[in-house]
Amino acid sequence: MAARMDFEVIGESDDNLEIAEERRQAERHAPRKRRKQNSEQAQQGNKNKQRKLQRVKRSTSARQRAQHKEQQDTSDAAETHSSSSQRRWEDTPEDAPIVRAGGVGYCERTATPILYTSGQSNPRSKVVEEDVRFDLLDSVYAFADGYQIARDEKQRQRKQGVYRDGLTYGEVAPSSFATVLNWIRPVAGEHFVDLGSGTGKAVLTAAILHPFGAAIGVEIQQALHDVALQARSQLCQQLGPSLRTAAANVRFVCDDALASKWFKDADIVFCTTTCFTPEMLSQLQNGVRHLRIGARVAVTTRGLDSSSLQLVQQALLPYGKGKLHFFVYVKIQST
C-alpha cells in the first residue's frame, strides 16, 4: 500500500516537472519574444521618423527654393537697375554738358547725378555707388524706430479719443524705391511729393539719388514728422558741402496729405495706398485729375482706376518688413 502511494506521488511529481519545464521554457523564450517585439516596434518607429524627416526635408527644400527664387528676383531687379544706370553713364559722351549745383554734378542728357568731393577737378573720376548712399541713410535713421514711434503715437491718440482710419506705418526700402524711381525716370528740376511720408525715408532717398528741384514729404502724424526733420538735419551734417544743396531742397510738412494742394506743382507723386479706405483712395484719384500731363504717380498694393493714367510698370518689391506690389503710372490726358 505504501509503495503504491509512493508511485502515485512520484507520478504527480512528473506532471509538475513537465509544467515547471514548460514554464521555464516559456520564461526563457519570453525575453527573446519581447526583444523581437521591441525590435519591430523600434524599426517601425525609425521608419516613421524617416518618413517625417523626409517630409520636413521636402518642405524645407520647397521653402528654400521659394526663398532662393525671391532673392534671385530681387537680385535681378537690382542688377537691372544697376546695369541701366551704368549704361546711361557709359553711353554719355565725354563732352556731354555737366551742370554743377552745390557740389553735385548732373549730366543734362541723362539726368544722372555725379557725386564728388570738393577739390575734384573731374566729376567723372568719382562716382559714389548707390549702396554707399543707402548705408548713409541707414546711419541717419539709426536713432529712431519708426514702427515703435508710430505705435506709440496711435496709442496716445486713441487714449484721447482720436481714431484715424487707413493710417498704417510702413518703411520703404531705399533699394526698392531706387528701382521705382528708375521706372519713373525723373528729369532734373522736377518736383517730387510723398503723400504720407512718415519719417521721410522715401523723400531723402529721392533727394540723394536724383536732382529734384524740390522733394516734399507731407505727414499727418507729428511724431513721425519730427523724426523726418531730425533725419534731414543729420543728413545735411553728414553729407558735408558736396550734397547739402540736394538735402536743402527737401521740405517736410505736417499736414493732412490728401486734404492739401499736393497736386499743384507735383511732377512725381508717391503714395503708399496699401491700407487706404475707399474714401481716401477716391481723394487721391480726385487729386490725380489736377496733375499735369506727363506727371508720374507711384502707389502700392492697389492700382489706380483712371482713363487719364497709363500703367508704366508694376512689380513685387521689398518694403520694410515684407513685400508690396508697386504700380507706376504716367498721366496721358486731362479729365
Side-chain angles (χ1 to χ4, degrees):
M1 185 70 176
R4 193 175 69 178
M5 290 179 63
D6 292 341
F7 177 79
E8 290 177 357
V9 171
I10 293 171
E12 187 176 355
S13 297
D14 288 343
D15 291 339
N16 291 337
L17 288 174
E18 283 185 16
I19 294 172
E21 182 63 23
E22 288 177 359
R23 286 178 180 174
R24 280 196 299 271
Q25 292 291 338
E27 290 175 355
R28 188 172 62 186
H29 291 294
R32 186 182 302 171
K33 184 180 293 185
R34 284 196 296 269
R35 287 197 299 269
K36 184 177 180 180
Q37 291 175 349
N38 292 339
S39 176
E40 291 176 351
Q41 291 175 356
Q43 290 178 0
Q44 185 63 36
N46 289 335
K47 288 181 181 179
N48 292 337
K49 288 181 180 178
Q50 289 177 358
R51 292 194 191 99
K52 185 176 181 180
L53 182 60
Q54 289 175 355
R55 288 197 298 269
V56 171
K57 285 182 177 179
R58 286 196 295 269
S59 176
T60 303
S61 178
R63 285 198 302 270
Q64 289 176 344
R65 287 196 298 271
Q67 290 174 356
H68 176 73
K69 186 176 184 306
E70 290 179 358
Q71 292 173 356
Q72 189 64 38
D73 292 344
T74 304
S75 176
D76 291 344
E79 288 178 3
T80 300
H81 172 67
S82 177
S83 61
S84 175
S85 300
Q86 185 65 22
R87 283 197 300 274
R88 290 203 307 270
W89 173 257
E90 292 174 348
D91 294 343
T92 304
E94 287 297 319
D95 58 350
I98 298 295
V99 177
R100 188 166 175 168
V104 185
Y106 296 113
C107 176
E108 288 183 334
R109 189 166 303 179
T110 63
T112 304
I114 305 167
L115 313 182
Y116 59 95
T117 58
S118 58
Q120 287 184 304
S121 58
N122 183 7
R124 290 189 177 88
S125 65
K126 184 67 175 179
V127 178
V128 180
E129 298 295 334
E130 282 185 353
D131 56 353
V132 176
R133 306 175 209 176
F134 299 155
D135 289 342
L136 178 60
L137 280 175
D138 288 340
S139 67
V140 164
Y141 283 96
F143 73 95
D145 181 352
Y147 287 94
Q148 187 60 50
I149 293 172
R151 283 193 293 268
D152 292 344
E153 180 71 3
K154 182 176 287 187
Q155 291 176 1
R156 184 187 65 80
Q157 291 176 350
R158 286 181 175 177
K159 287 180 180 178
Q160 298 175 351
V162 178
Y163 293 85
R164 288 170 171 164
D165 294 331
L167 299 182
T168 300
Y169 181 76
E171 291 184 355
V172 64
S175 58
S176 298
F177 199 58
T179 301
V180 173
L181 290 172
N182 188 47
W183 299 340
I184 291 174
R185 298 181 182 178
V187 176
E190 287 188 319
H191 286 200
F192 169 84
V193 178
D194 182 2
L195 304 177
S197 53
T199 58
K201 193 168 284 189
V203 180
L204 293 182
T205 300
I208 66 173
L209 291 182
H210 295 277
F212 287 107
I216 303 168
V218 187
E219 171 59 44
I220 194 171
Q221 301 281 30
Q222 183 67 49
L224 297 175
H225 170 71
D226 292 341
V227 173
L229 293 177
Q230 189 172 348
R232 175 184 174 276
S233 176
Q234 290 196 16
L235 183 63
C236 288
Q237 293 174 9
Q238 295 190 33
L239 288 174
S242 62
L243 268 179
R244 281 180 185 167
T245 299
N249 290 334
V250 173
R251 184 161 57 93
F252 291 111
V253 179
C254 188
D255 197 0
D256 184 346
L258 296 179
S260 66
K261 302 295 182 181
W262 54 268
F263 47 78
K264 188 175 181 181
D265 297 315
D267 300 299
I268 297 170
V269 180
F270 172 59
C271 187
T272 303
T273 56
T274 301
C275 297
F276 268 24
T277 63
E279 293 76 17
M280 296 170 72
L281 205 58
S282 177
Q283 278 185 282
L284 176 63
Q285 295 198 132
N286 286 336
V288 168
R289 293 190 310 163
H290 298 282
L291 292 173
R292 67 171 181 83
I293 294 177
R296 281 87 79 209
V297 182
V299 296
T300 61
T301 306
R302 302 180 180 186
L304 298 178
D305 183 16
S306 175
S307 59
S308 66
L309 297 176
Q310 178 181 333
L311 181 64
V312 175
Q313 184 65 275
Q314 63 172 317
L316 184 67
L317 298 174
Y319 186 95
K321 296 184 176 181
K323 289 189 175 184
L324 288 182
H325 268 101
F326 284 77
F327 301 83
V328 172
Y329 299 87
V330 60
K331 186 164 183 179
I332 56 175
Q333 63 182 15
S334 300
T335 54

